[in-house]
Amino acid sequence: MITCYNCNEEIHPDEARFYSTSEYCETCFDDLFTYCDQCDCLIERDRALHDSDGSPFCEECYYSNYDDDIPSNPYVDQSDRDIIIKLCRNWIFSKQSRMPISINSSDVYLREIREAVGLISKSIYVYGLVDRDEYQIRATSDLFPTVETFVQRDLPDYSVLEEEGSRRLGLSLDIRTNHFGLITKLIKEELCAE
């Protein structure tokens, strides 16, 4: 007979389970050890690392597959899925690199503008501004002349402020809610036209 290293219970040699150079009864072995879900190596249960589903991994497999800095379940809404499908189809069938405008996706009006603009060949970042009296639109130096001309022609009651940077356009809430069509036209036909 053999004695379990953990509980000192006597066990038959055929029923003994081994870890390193020690023998364990089946109950103690199952309580103390587990197998890596990827490489199937035997690891001590209290040293196992677990993913979001609770699956155990040895240290090497866990760190080669998981990054603590990425969100465990990033939110992807239906409009994002549709854009991904459009991008894939566009790449497969036309070989042109077209993409949606970049936005702060928490703003509902910006998501609607992104959807209306569709895929473009020149990147641009559109962000929301709170309403203010001094200006209603902010545009980087590279976009400013085009935006200023457009605003003077189509939105004469609004002001544009020039800012540093590249390919960024800030829109006040009033413009995002009340001039959806004009802003879509500005982005699609003036700023991002091929």
Side-chain angles (χ1 to χ4, degrees), residues 51-175:
D51 65 2
S52 58
D53 296 329
S55 301
F57 289 89
C58 67
E59 190 172 328
E60 185 176 333
C61 291
Y62 181 83
Y63 287 115
S64 68
N65 292 321
Y66 295 96
D67 183 353
D68 291 336
D69 295 331
I70 62 170
S72 59
N73 190 13
Y75 176 75
V76 179
D77 64 14
Q78 188 58 44
S79 65
D80 289 335
R81 287 184 188 93
D82 293 342
I83 287 171
I84 292 167
I85 291 169
K86 284 180 186 176
L87 288 171
C88 292
R89 287 182 178 155
N90 185 45
W91 184 81
I92 291 170
F93 296 116
S94 70
K95 300 293 185 195
Q96 296 175 353
S97 65
R98 297 173 59 92
M99 65 207 75
I101 63 173
S102 298
I103 61 166
N104 176 350
S105 59
S106 63
D107 186 313
V108 174
Y109 301 109
L110 290 177
R111 283 188 292 191
E112 291 174 0
I113 290 171
R114 179 177 66 182
E115 193 171 310
V117 168
L119 299 178
I120 54 174
S121 58
K122 295 180 183 177
S123 67
I124 187 171
Y125 178 72
V126 180
Y127 61 97
L129 298 169
V130 295
D131 287 338
R132 58 187 72 220
D133 295 330
E134 314 90 76
Y135 59 89
Q136 292 75 40
I137 300 175
R138 289 180 68 132
T140 53
S141 304
D142 55 338
L143 304 177
F144 185 77
T146 305
V147 173
E148 187 175 43
T149 303
F150 183 88
V151 168
Q152 288 173 354
R153 183 183 69 228
D154 294 315
L155 297 166
D157 297 333
Y158 294 101
S159 299
V160 183
L161 178 72
E162 187 174 358
E163 68 176 16
E164 295 297 316
S166 174
R167 305 220 32 98
R168 292 173 50 90
L169 180 69
L171 304 169
S172 70
L173 180 60
D174 179 56
I175 288 178

Side-chain angles (χ1 to χ4, degrees), residues 2-11 25:
I2 299 173
T3 304
C4 174
Y5 182 79
N6 187 54
C7 69
N8 295 322
E9 182 180 318
E10 288 190 359
I11 49 175
C25 66

